[in-house]
PDB file of all heavy atoms in Angstrom:
ATOM      1  N   ARG A 764     -64.268 -72.814 -85.570  1.00 93.00           N
ATOM      2  CA  ARG A 764     -63.344 -72.623 -86.701  1.00 93.00           C
ATOM      3  C   ARG A 764     -62.963 -73.976 -87.313  1.00 93.00           C
ATOM      4  O   ARG A 764     -62.905 -74.131 -88.538  1.00 93.00           O
ATOM      5  CB  ARG A 764     -62.096 -71.888 -86.213  1.00 93.00           C
ATOM      6  CG  ARG A 764     -61.044 -71.626 -87.271  1.00 93.00           C
ATOM      7  CD  ARG A 764     -59.857 -70.875 -86.675  1.00 93.00           C
ATOM      8  NE  ARG A 764     -59.215 -71.646 -85.610  1.00 93.00           N
ATOM      9  CZ  ARG A 764     -58.300 -71.148 -84.773  1.00 93.00           C
ATOM     10  NH1 ARG A 764     -57.928 -69.890 -84.868  1.00 93.00           N
ATOM     11  NH2 ARG A 764     -57.768 -71.908 -83.842  1.00 93.00           N
ATOM     12  N   ALA A 765     -62.712 -74.955 -86.457  1.00 93.00           N
ATOM     13  CA  ALA A 765     -62.320 -76.283 -86.945  1.00 93.00           C
ATOM     14  C   ALA A 765     -63.442 -76.970 -87.717  1.00 93.00           C
ATOM     15  O   ALA A 765     -63.186 -77.830 -88.556  1.00 93.00           O
ATOM     16  CB  ALA A 765     -61.884 -77.160 -85.767  1.00 93.00           C
ATOM     17  N   LEU A 766     -64.695 -76.567 -87.448  1.00 93.00           N
ATOM     18  CA  LEU A 766     -65.849 -77.218 -88.079  1.00 93.00           C
ATOM     19  C   LEU A 766     -66.272 -76.556 -89.392  1.00 93.00           C
ATOM     20  O   LEU A 766     -67.156 -77.066 -90.083  1.00 93.00           O
ATOM     21  CB  LEU A 766     -67.038 -77.198 -87.109  1.00 93.00           C
ATOM     22  CG  LEU A 766     -66.905 -78.063 -85.849  1.00 93.00           C
ATOM     23  CD1 LEU A 766     -68.041 -77.749 -84.885  1.00 93.00           C
ATOM     24  CD2 LEU A 766     -66.906 -79.545 -86.213  1.00 93.00           C
ATOM     25  N   LEU A 767     -65.657 -75.445 -89.759  1.00 93.00           N
ATOM     26  CA  LEU A 767     -66.137 -74.637 -90.873  1.00 93.00           C
ATOM     27  C   LEU A 767     -66.266 -75.405 -92.183  1.00 93.00           C
ATOM     28  O   LEU A 767     -67.215 -75.210 -92.940  1.00 93.00           O
ATOM     29  CB  LEU A 767     -65.225 -73.423 -91.079  1.00 93.00           C
ATOM     30  CG  LEU A 767     -65.419 -72.272 -90.090  1.00 93.00           C
ATOM     31  CD1 LEU A 767     -64.299 -71.258 -90.220  1.00 93.00           C
ATOM     32  CD2 LEU A 767     -66.777 -71.595 -90.294  1.00 93.00           C
ATOM     33  N   ASN A 768     -65.304 -76.253 -92.476  1.00 91.00           N
ATOM     34  CA  ASN A 768     -65.322 -76.966 -93.758  1.00 91.00           C
ATOM     35  C   ASN A 768     -65.832 -78.403 -93.623  1.00 91.00           C
ATOM     36  O   ASN A 768     -65.490 -79.268 -94.429  1.00 91.00           O
ATOM     37  CB  ASN A 768     -63.919 -76.929 -94.389  1.00 91.00           C
ATOM     38  CG  ASN A 768     -63.600 -75.578 -95.005  1.00 91.00           C
ATOM     39  OD1 ASN A 768     -64.329 -75.098 -95.863  1.00 91.00           O
ATOM     40  ND2 ASN A 768     -62.529 -74.940 -94.550  1.00 91.00           N
ATOM     41  N   ASP A 769     -66.668 -78.633 -92.597  1.00 91.00           N
ATOM     42  CA  ASP A 769     -67.274 -79.961 -92.376  1.00 91.00           C
ATOM     43  C   ASP A 769     -66.228 -81.066 -92.434  1.00 91.00           C
ATOM     44  O   ASP A 769     -66.309 -81.993 -93.260  1.00 91.00           O
ATOM     45  CB  ASP A 769     -68.375 -80.236 -93.407  1.00 91.00           C
ATOM     46  CG  ASP A 769     -69.500 -79.212 -93.329  1.00 91.00           C
ATOM     47  OD1 ASP A 769     -69.939 -78.904 -92.211  1.00 91.00           O
ATOM     48  OD2 ASP A 769     -69.922 -78.711 -94.386  1.00 91.00           O
ATOM     49  N   PRO A 770     -65.208 -80.990 -91.563  1.00 93.00           N
ATOM     50  CA  PRO A 770     -64.099 -81.948 -91.650  1.00 93.00           C
ATOM     51  C   PRO A 770     -64.527 -83.364 -91.299  1.00 93.00           C
ATOM     52  O   PRO A 770     -65.470 -83.575 -90.531  1.00 93.00           O
ATOM     53  CB  PRO A 770     -63.112 -81.406 -90.601  1.00 93.00           C
ATOM     54  CG  PRO A 770     -63.980 -80.743 -89.586  1.00 93.00           C
ATOM     55  CD  PRO A 770     -65.076 -80.098 -90.389  1.00 93.00           C
ATOM     56  N   LYS A 771     -63.807 -84.321 -91.869  1.00 94.00           N
ATOM     57  CA  LYS A 771     -64.030 -85.721 -91.497  1.00 94.00           C
ATOM     58  C   LYS A 771     -63.258 -86.079 -90.230  1.00 94.00           C
ATOM     59  O   LYS A 771     -63.543 -87.080 -89.581  1.00 94.00           O
ATOM     60  CB  LYS A 771     -63.584 -86.631 -92.649  1.00 94.00           C
ATOM     61  CG  LYS A 771     -64.445 -86.510 -93.899  1.00 94.00           C
ATOM     62  CD  LYS A 771     -64.010 -87.519 -94.948  1.00 94.00           C
ATOM     63  CE  LYS A 771     -64.919 -87.471 -96.176  1.00 94.00           C
ATOM     64  NZ  LYS A 771     -64.522 -88.479 -97.187  1.00 94.00           N
ATOM     65  N   LEU A 772     -62.246 -85.268 -89.917  1.00 96.00           N
ATOM     66  CA  LEU A 772     -61.363 -85.540 -88.781  1.00 96.00           C
ATOM     67  C   LEU A 772     -61.043 -84.240 -88.062  1.00 96.00           C
ATOM     68  O   LEU A 772     -60.733 -83.233 -88.697  1.00 96.00           O
ATOM     69  CB  LEU A 772     -60.066 -86.185 -89.281  1.00 96.00           C
ATOM     70  CG  LEU A 772     -58.900 -86.329 -88.297  1.00 96.00           C
ATOM     71  CD1 LEU A 772     -59.243 -87.318 -87.184  1.00 96.00           C
ATOM     72  CD2 LEU A 772     -57.631 -86.763 -89.032  1.00 96.00           C
TER      73      LEU A 772
END
Side-chain angles (χ1 to χ4, degrees):
R764 180 179 61 192
L766 292 170
L767 283 169
N768 284 303
D769 300 315
K771 293 185 176 182
L772 169 67

